[in-house]
């Protein structure tokens, strides 16, 4: 099965391939303007996310580029076995753009669910899966130098800062094969 259509699983999350139907719930999950502090922009409306999801689901117009996008769905009781009421809800996204042997990854978790390790858990699974993909030699992420939480996610996924700055962000990377 192609990477971008696979369901990935972690201890607490199902990483489900993005669908257009996720737009409304994701708009609520990602509605906090604080999520855009380091990346710029503003929260998307359900309509703008639906349009964006339609483009992403259709895939890259360049056959040499693969767009892989997943939503993070919380599975089971994540809080010491106690029911939190969040089970089955979307809590964020992860993505990878694969081109010319490099997979560029990114993640976002809604403010309400931050600080619980969901981004790190999802990023570790994504990077591990990318490491098993033929043709992927390097995984990279770009992290704003002041975004400590995102830097911690990159480190948890096995990426290391390179010192290279691209559009104001530090390039983190991990070779997965020579």
């Amino acid at each position: 099965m192609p990477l971008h259509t696979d369901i990935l699983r972690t201890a607490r999350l199902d990483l489900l391939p993005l669908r257009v139907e996720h737009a409304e719930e994701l708009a609520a999950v990602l509605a906090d303007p604080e999520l855009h502090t380091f990346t710029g922009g503003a929260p998307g409306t359900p309509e703008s996310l639906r349009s964006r999801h339609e483009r992403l689901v259709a895939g890259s117009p360049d056959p040499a580029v693969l767009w892989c996008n997943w939503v993070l769905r919380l599975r089971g009781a994540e809080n010491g076995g106690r029911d939190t009421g969040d089970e089955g809800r979307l809590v964020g996204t992860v993505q990878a753009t694969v081109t010319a042997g490099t997979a560029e990854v990114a993640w976002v978790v809604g403010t309400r669910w931050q600080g619980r390790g969901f981004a790190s858990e999802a990023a570790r699974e994504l990077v591990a899966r990318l490491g098993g993909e033929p043709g992927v030699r390097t995984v990279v992420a770009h992290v704003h130098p002041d975004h400590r939480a995102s830097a911690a996610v990159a480190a948890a996924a096995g990426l290391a800062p390179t010192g290279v700055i691209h559009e104001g962000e530090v390039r983190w990377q991990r070779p997965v094969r020579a």
Side-chain angles (χ1 to χ4, degrees):
M1 187 179 295
L3 171 65
H4 67 287
T5 60
D6 282 356
I7 296 174
L8 309 179
R9 296 192 195 305
T10 70
R12 302 177 295 166
L13 301 167
D14 289 327
L15 283 65
L16 306 174
L18 179 75
R19 295 190 335 245
V20 174
E21 295 79 25
H22 292 130
E24 187 169 335
E25 187 174 354
L26 273 179
V29 169
L30 306 176
D32 186 349
E34 293 293 316
L35 290 174
H36 299 271
T37 299
F38 296 105
T39 59
T45 64
E47 296 77 21
S48 67
L49 283 183
R50 183 175 304 283
S51 177
R52 183 171 195 274
H53 290 184
E54 287 170 352
R55 289 189 306 277
L56 292 172
V57 168
S60 171
D62 182 343
V65 176
L66 178 63
W67 291 343
C68 306
N69 296 275
W70 292 268
V71 295
L72 310 179
R73 184 179 67 196
L74 187 57
R75 184 180 66 245
E78 57 85 19
N79 197 9
R82 295 189 310 262
D83 182 5
T84 64
D86 286 338
E87 289 74 16
R89 291 187 184 203
L90 300 184
V91 299
T93 66
V94 292
Q95 64 186 50
T97 300
V98 182
T99 183
T102 299
E104 183 163 351
V105 297
W107 47 82
V108 63
V109 169
T111 305
R112 175 176 168 189
W113 298 276
Q114 290 180 3
R116 300 184 203 180
F118 295 139
S120 294
E121 188 173 321
R124 277 192 305 269
E125 178 62 25
L126 177 57
V127 169
R129 180 64 199 314
L130 289 165
E133 285 297 304
V136 175
R137 295 181 304 278
T138 306
V139 176
V140 303
H142 289 91
V143 177
H144 190 283
D146 295 330
H147 198 325
R148 290 188 307 248
S150 200
V153 171
L159 283 71
T162 64
V164 173
I165 306 295
H166 176 73
E167 296 181 4
E169 296 183 320
V170 177
R171 178 183 171 108
W172 289 64
Q173 73 180 42
R174 172 185 172 181
V176 293
R177 65 174 53 84

